[in-house]
Amino acid sequence: MSYAKNGSIDIYYETYGEGEPLIFAHGAGGNAACWWQQIPCFSEHFRTIAFDHRGFARSHCSKEAFDVKYFADDLRALMDKERIESAPLVCQSMGGWTGLSMALTSPERVRALVMSHTPGGISSAKIKSIREKVIRERKPLTSSFAHWALARDFPEKNIAAANLYNQLGFFNTELDLPVLREQLLEPRVLEMPEDFTIPTLFITANQDQVFPVELIKCAAAMVPSATAKVLVDAGHSSYFEVPDLFNQTVFEFLNGL
């Protein structure tokens, strides 16, 4: 159990394995514990780090101090404490706001960027239109084990895992979801710099109910030299739903650096 201090906020993180550093940034439905299917795998090859964003789980934060705009600063404080000059970042959904902000403000600290099911704040008229259509046409959940961040049929395929996904999110007891949603909906990146050279992989899946494939492809097209990979039989949380395929996809990307 370790903490990195950024001002008055203590950011909780965990470190596993040895070697080159690799950092995981979770989404709004999770915390560091959500990477339970990635940490044992990647820690055999990397010094693997997972952390709780401020306001999530063990990174306690007052409502006044909670803002997505501080996420990159928190990550920078963690890297400074661990004496990490640069590392690949694997960012899930909300974590994409952290990773992309870090890549734009401190590009020398980001060796590569995996944007998993996230536009990371990248916006355009088309992205906004797709997002509005998704919200307008989304059907109600039909099971207490269902979640927007999972494929609609995931509870039928693995009800125990679907329950675990929900339970992990319940540990974010200090989170103000309406405030978070409002902050994430605010467009932050309307145009990427032409000299952006950080290797970037966007991962999406065919059953994503939050940021569908079309939206992610639009975001990826705005990032110089970025590639996009569409996984099958998964929703918004492919890292959780199809971990072997997700892990393989990330490994192949990292091995190609």
Side-chain angles (χ1 to χ4, degrees):
M1 180 184 297
S2 301
Y3 287 89
K5 182 174 287 293
N6 182 22
S8 62
I9 307 300
D10 292 321
I11 303 300
Y12 174 88
Y13 68 96
E14 302 171 353
T15 304
Y16 302 87
E18 298 178 352
E20 294 297 317
L22 176 64
I23 303 175
F24 286 82
H26 66 81
N31 44 63
C34 76
W35 300 110
W36 61 281
Q37 297 174 101
Q38 281 68 52
I39 289 172
C41 178
F42 286 93
S43 63
E44 293 184 1
H45 307 272
F46 297 92
R47 177 183 167 198
T48 303
I49 298 173
F51 66 97
D52 294 340
H53 282 93
R54 68 166 60 199
F56 287 78
R58 294 146 292 194
S59 294
H60 303 292
C61 171
S62 68
K63 290 184 178 181
E64 294 75 21
F66 181 82
D67 199 306
V68 171
K69 68 182 181 183
Y70 297 127
F71 283 1
D73 292 335
D74 294 338
L75 176 55
R76 198 174 292 108
L78 186 163
M79 294 177 71
D80 288 346
K81 184 186 176 187
E82 287 293 312
R83 299 181 180 178
I84 297 173
E85 294 184 2
S86 179
L89 308 180
V90 180
C91 309
Q92 167 65 21
S93 194
M94 180 196 74
W97 273 251
T98 308
L100 187 59
S101 177
M102 189 75 167
L104 290 173
T105 58
S106 301
E108 74 282 358
R109 308 297 298 268
V110 182
R111 181 164 178 254
L113 196 57
V114 176
M115 300 285 281
S116 173
H117 301 266
T118 179
I122 295 174
S123 189
S124 67
K126 187 173 182 180
I127 287 175
K128 182 179 179 182
S129 175
I130 296 170
R131 181 66 179 144
E132 290 174 347
K133 181 181 179 182
V134 167
I135 295 173
R136 184 172 63 250
E137 298 181 355
R138 194 157 56 185
K139 298 177 182 178
L141 297 175
T142 57
S143 165
S144 57
F145 297 102
H147 197 290
W148 295 120
L150 299 172
R152 293 189 70 85
D153 63 351
F154 187 71
E156 299 172 15
K157 294 188 292 186
N158 194 335
I159 193 170
N163 181 48
L164 175 61
Y165 186 92
N166 283 283
Q167 293 297 324
L168 289 172
F170 293 155
F171 288 104
N172 300 325
T173 57
E174 298 176 2
L175 181 62
D176 190 330
L177 275 175
V179 169
L180 175 61
R181 291 193 188 102
E182 182 178 348
Q183 293 178 359
L184 292 178
L185 286 174
E186 178 186 344
R188 293 178 180 266
V189 183
L190 300 177
E191 185 175 353
M192 289 288 293
E194 294 182 0
D195 60 351
F196 186 86
T197 59
I198 296 172
T200 303
L201 170 68
F202 283 81
I203 296 177
T204 182
N206 62 335
Q207 298 185 58
D208 193 324
Q209 303 180 82
V210 181
F211 297 126
V213 171
E214 183 183 8
L215 187 152
I216 296 301
K217 285 186 174 181
C218 285
M222 295 174 64
V223 179
S225 301
T227 57
K229 178 77 171 181
V230 181
L231 307 185
V232 297
D233 297 327
H236 184 65
S237 302
S238 62
Y239 73 96
F240 190 95
E241 300 169 68
V242 287
D244 291 343
L245 180 57
F246 178 88
N247 294 351
Q248 177 185 347
T249 300
V250 174
F251 263 124
E252 290 176 352
F253 172 67
L254 296 176
N255 288 337
L257 296 178

